[in-house]
Amino acid sequence: MTRSSAFAPPDWIGEGLAHLWRPYCQMKTAAPPLPVVATRGSRLVLADGRELVDGVASWWTACHGYNHPHIAQAVRAQLDTMPHVMFGGLTHEPAARLARRLAALMPGDLDHVFFSDSGSVAVEVAMKMAIQAALNRGDRGRTKILAFRGGYHGDTLATMAVCDPDEGMHAMFGAALARQIIADLPRDEERAAALEALLAREGHRVAAILVEPLVQGAGGMLMHDAATLARLRAAADRHGCLLIFDEIFVGLGRLGAMSVAEATGVVPDIVTLSKALTGGTMALAATIAARRVFEAFWSDDPSHALMHGPTYMANPLACAAANASLDLFEREPRLAQARAIETQLREGLAPLAGRPGIRDVRVRGAIGAVELERIDDLDALKAAFVAEGLWIRPFGRIAYVTPALTIEADDLARLVAGLASVSARFGAALGPP
Ligand SMILES: *Cc1c(COP(=O)(O)O)cnc(C)c1O
């Protein structure tokens, strides 16, 4: 990190930092975190007064930019009436309204919404639903989830087991993780045949096929097409298992549509949402099930109930924020903004293709990713972006941007140009291939 020498860090940094255990961070060697004191629009305001253009939208959440007054107002009003009540035995209008609206956004009969408080938990709930739906029908053999190389579905023990086996933490955690079935996405006929052969052997053990549709995010911004999803739908139907779309990253506007299921016409049995659900203000997630999944739990037998209930499930503040976020999707041209960002990303990143050290450039919706041959010094790359006034958080071999869909034209231009120029510079420094 570069910091002007005249700047004295605020007291809270020195007093608290030693006690903060940071995410994905070798605490001993990593550069210190940047202290943020305010957010506005697509900007982060640092303690020393600098402003960074945010290319990450706070882990893909802040789709309407920061501090949107409509969301702030909705949360404030909810705070005054009822910040929280437990959801066991009680219910409330913000949750009921949000569930109805989410069901209306989803295609087909994806009508039954289970709320939780993080994406990982939403995925675990989806996995649990799929396994228990089979159990409730008397099929005790379907206990496995089939997931894909390149995938990312969360950091909890159950979700680590369905992440990419190499990029994920399978090797490190070894036998501590459940053994799931990991395959290649059926991107072409050859891989489709391999998946079919796998399912011919293992299909009777599979409760659900789990996929991030169209873009695998944290696993490397890997992209596939709707035909791949159609193959998964057909395979799930042939082998009697469910299909789960983890839309936590790609749903709610990021790809220029409210849901990939709706945009592609490939309708899964369960969808998970989180990240942009509250427009980047509160923790909230949803697992949305189709009628036939719900019906597997609908019974006179109490043991057929879904036995799950996070303490802060359907938190009214978070539901109010999510309802306000959906208002904004209805009132403002968010999806058109995502498509305009896509155009600008394609134009701005295209010149990188084929440059030294650049392996690939990928754009889909408001996601632009540059894959380098390798990144030798991640901290140096991060610092180079900060020096350009940009907040971009590369990982693995990838530098990417996923800006707020409301980002101002000037800031977007700076972001795309900065991603391109810094990537080109770092790529060139890797030397000839
Ligand atoms: C971020 C993410 C998750 C995990 O969400 P958390 O809220 O971090 O637990 C799961 N699936 C996908 C596709 C994600 O991008």
Side-chain angles (χ1 to χ4, degrees):
M1 176 176 83
T2 56
R3 186 193 276 158
S4 72
S5 52
F7 168 69
D11 288 347
W12 57 261
I13 297 180
E15 290 164 5
L17 199 52
H19 302 283
L20 286 175
W21 200 327
R22 299 160 56 199
Y24 310 116
C25 178
Q26 176 41 264
M27 304 277 294
K28 184 171 176 183
T29 54
L34 300 180
V36 186
V37 293
T39 51
R40 68 176 79 100
S42 281
R43 301 263 182 125
L44 305 170
V45 183
L46 303 186
D48 62 5
R50 281 179 300 165
E51 287 193 15
L52 302 182
V53 176
D54 185 354
V56 189
S58 278
W59 274 334
W60 322 333
T61 60
C63 52
H64 312 290
Y66 295 110
N67 311 43
H68 196 290
H70 181 64
I71 300 179
Q73 171 52 34
V75 173
R76 234 177 262 125
Q78 188 61 42
L79 186 62
D80 288 340
T81 45
M82 183 173 68
H84 185 65
V85 285
M86 62 186 280
F87 214 56
L90 303 175
T91 194
H92 49 78
E93 192 273 343
R97 186 148 52 100
L98 182 59
R100 181 171 54 72
R101 294 174 86 179
L102 291 176
L105 282 181
M106 292 292 145
D109 58 7
L110 286 156
D111 283 343
H112 302 276
V113 181
F114 189 94
F115 287 114
S116 56
D117 38 23
S118 79
S120 300
V121 172
V123 172
E124 291 216 11
V125 169
M127 292 163 63
K128 197 166 161 180
M129 273 180 185
I131 292 165
Q132 195 182 342
L135 291 174
N136 285 356
R137 292 196 177 101
D139 185 343
R140 306 199 63 78
R142 291 188 185 268
T143 57
K144 295 290 169 194
I145 305 296
L146 190 151
F148 296 97
R149 269 181 248 291
Y152 174 82
H153 300 284
D155 288 346
T156 57
L157 280 165
T159 57
M160 278 196 286
V162 287
C163 292
D164 182 277
D166 302 320
E167 299 292 320
M169 293 172 267
H170 290 227
M172 194 197 325
F173 282 86
L177 296 187
R179 260 193 196 286
Q180 304 293 8
I181 303 171
I182 309 291
D184 284 332
L185 271 171
R187 296 163 187 281
D188 50 33
E189 293 308 327
E190 190 186 332
R191 290 183 185 119
L195 180 67
E196 185 52 36
L198 176 67
L199 282 167
R201 286 197 312 274
E202 306 278 3
H204 63 286
R205 301 202 295 144
V206 175
I209 297 175
L210 168 64
V211 67
E212 292 165 87
L214 297 185
V215 183
Q216 295 175 301
M221 300 292 165
L222 304 166
M223 298 173 186
H224 57 267
D225 57 13
T228 302
L229 300 177
R231 290 188 192 107
L232 294 180
R233 179 69 273 179
D237 291 342
R238 245 187 333 267
H239 294 276
C241 54
L242 300 178
L243 179 62
I244 304 170
F245 278 5
D246 179 352
E247 297 205 23
I248 288 171
F249 174 37
V250 293
L252 300 169
R254 182 57 52 194
L255 298 188
M258 291 309 281
S259 97
V260 172
E262 171 235 5
T264 60
V266 180
V267 183
D269 303 291
I270 303 177
V271 172
T272 55
L273 296 175
S274 184
K275 295 249 159 60
L277 185 53
T278 64
T281 56
M282 314 276 298
L284 185 68
T287 305
I288 307 174
R291 190 180 307 139
R292 74 189 181 105
V293 178
F294 182 75
E295 280 173 352
F297 293 78
W298 184 267
S299 157
D300 294 321
D301 183 342
S303 76
H304 285 185
L306 179 63
M307 297 303 283
H308 208 95
T311 304
Y312 276 94
M313 174 174 187
N315 170 254
L317 291 170
C319 289
N323 277 311
S325 173
L326 293 184
D327 294 343
L328 294 173
F329 275 109
E330 286 168 11
R331 286 179 203 165
E332 299 183 3
R334 226 32 109 241
L335 304 182
Q337 287 168 318
R339 291 189 285 266
I341 292 171
E342 174 168 13
T343 304
Q344 207 160 334
L345 285 170
R346 281 191 198 287
E347 286 169 6
L349 298 180
L352 281 177
R355 296 281 292 268
I358 306 291
R359 186 183 284 220
D360 195 17
V361 177
R362 296 189 281 275
V363 174
R364 174 83 52 94
I367 304 167
V370 178
E371 181 173 345
L372 289 117
E373 291 299 336
R374 55 179 201 279
I375 296 175
D376 290 331
D377 185 344
L378 212 49
D379 275 339
L381 182 55
K382 288 174 188 169
F385 287 124
V386 171
E388 299 282 325
L390 307 176
W391 180 240
I392 293 177
R393 234 181 104 83
F395 66 94
R397 290 192 302 267
I398 310 287
Y400 75 93
V401 292
T402 50
L405 306 180
T406 53
I407 187 169
E408 304 267 340
D410 287 356
D411 280 357
L412 180 59
R414 273 183 61 195
L415 192 61
V416 177
L419 174 61
S421 66
V422 173
S423 300
R425 179 151 50 87
F426 273 69
L430 293 174

